[in-house]
Amino acid sequence: MELRWVCAVLLVLPGAWGECPQPPRFAFAEPLTPPEQSYAVGATQRYRCRPGYTVARDKAPVVTCLDNSTWSENPDFCIGKSCGPVDIPNGKFNYTTNLLFGATITYTCDLGYRLIGKSSAKCVLGNNEVVWDSNPYCEIIPCLPPPVIKNGQVTDGDRDFTFGMAVTYSCNKGFSLIGDATIHCMTDDNLNGVWSSPAPECKVVRCKNPEVKNGKKLSGFGTEHTYKNSVTFECKPGYLLNGSNVVTCEAENTWKPPLPTCDPIFCGPAPHFPFAELTSTVGNSSLAETKLSYRCKPGYTAASGKTSVVTCLIDKTWSADPDFCIRQQCTPPTIANGDVIADNFLFETVVTFTCHPGYELKESSSAKCVVSGNGVDWDTAPPYCERELPDILCEEPPTIDNGMHNGTKGRDFGHGSVVVYKCSDGFSLVGAALLQCVAGDQYGGVWSKPAPECRGGANMIIVGIFPLLLAMLIMNV
Ligand SMILES: *[C@@H]1O[C@H](CO)[C@@H](O)[C@H](O)[C@H]1NC(C)=O
Ligand SMILES: *[C@@H]1O[C@H](CO)[C@@H](O)[C@H](O)[C@H]1NC(C)=O
Ligand SMILES: *[C@@H]1O[C@H](CO)[C@@H](O)[C@H](O)[C@H]1NC(C)=O
Ligand SMILES: *[C@@H]1O[C@H](CO)[C@@H](O)[C@H](O)[C@H]1NC(C)=O
Ligand SMILES: *[C@@H]1O[C@H](CO)[C@@H](O)[C@H](O)[C@H]1NC(C)=O
């Protein structure tokens, strides 16, 4: 009943213009004097800050009744006191608003430390002062003592083990340490310490002496092979390594990766060359690295800077210098008053000869460079060019007294022409009856012999002279 009455009064009161109702209430302050029912315009009400608060700088803890019957606004004239920053070794705190009365901070620890206590604190009142209501601390994260192992020990094992510390194991003589020799204290959840890996094991490890057929060891020659010992292999020439060339003795007394094999590589039949032949017979298949010797066929000679050795490569092909034999060359022929027509003078080349104009080629008009003894030579002696003579003509054969020749007048008497002389009856021929047209000293032709003579018989002379003498005698008488 009474409450309902009070409400009615509160609703009615503001109606009175020129007066203020009860002054405002604040969480941070309380009226210094008990509030009254109404205040005249201009009246003030002073406050005092509640515990945990203090008067804000440049503000007065007072409100005034204004003309329009409202209280002057003077917000936050008391503010919370500051709990201040906290010093938390190996950690830090965080806040969203401020460090004042009522604020909350959260604590976090540095890596390797864990928070002991409440992770948040509130700025609260205690003994009339503001204080953080919890004061946790950061503790370094501990690890359990490192595990004890058989046949080995941890060095420096008697102490506290905390985040970041490392311990190292060693094995007794004759035992191999399998795993990480050194482990360190770490954390997965920022609360509990764990060792970075399981403790190593100390075991007796022995791997069998590794043998690779057609291979040889390049390292790891001993016969005792223990943990982590490595052996390096190489295959003999002609064999290809299949697998890893390095194997390591692992904890299970086995080599890893598995031992390689050396697999043979073969090339096919020896290659054929038009210019060379094998120096020995070779089967249809040869192991890689096999070297075959060739010699140049007759007419060919080894090319300088090239090898006549052909090798079976690991890609199963034969390697050969291209054209390792080259054709031998015949001495370039010469011909006086003529030309040699040829691109080159190499083995099996045919050269042809021509003569300059006015000369005639004698002997073979071509020659071929062929094998001759250990080398090459022309298959025929070179020809020669002979001066071509103009037609040899003789003059008409000379006429003789008391005789004639059978040469027809006006005909040409060429080289070799023959005329025969004959004397008239009663005359006898003195000299050669047969003349032939032969080449003279100069270009023309001459008769081989002087023309013969036809002489009268001795009786004729007597017959001729005697009557004359007779007549002379008669006339003298
Ligand atoms: C009363 O007057 C003050 C100052 O003149 C003004 O700030 C405030 O808004 C007024 N209040 C009302 C309810 O009119
Ligand atoms: C501090 O608080 C802010 C805001 O809440 C947050 O973004 C930040 O990550 C916090 N820092 C730490 C170290 O907790
Ligand atoms: C290497 O050896 C493995 C196992 O013996 C075999 O399967 C593989 O074909 C071989 N590789 C070659 C290139 O020979
Ligand atoms: C080499 O191969 C040829 C043709 O395949 C064959 O006739 C000959 O018998 C083979 N020779 C050898 C020695 O295997
Ligand atoms: C002249 O006679 C000889 C012998 O009978 C003969 O060989 C020759 O050819 C003749 N000469 C001519 C020009 O007829």
Side-chain angles (χ1 to χ4, degrees), residues 361-383:
L361 189 77
K362 296 290 175 181
E363 311 287 337
S364 174
S365 66
S366 66
K368 188 177 184 183
C369 184
V370 295
V371 171
S372 164
N374 282 334
V376 288
D377 203 354
W378 300 108
D379 60 347
T380 57

Side-chain angles (χ1 to χ4, degrees), residues 92-96 106-108:
K92 50 185 173 293
F93 66 90
N94 199 5
Y95 59 91
T96 47
T106 55
Y107 295 96
T108 51

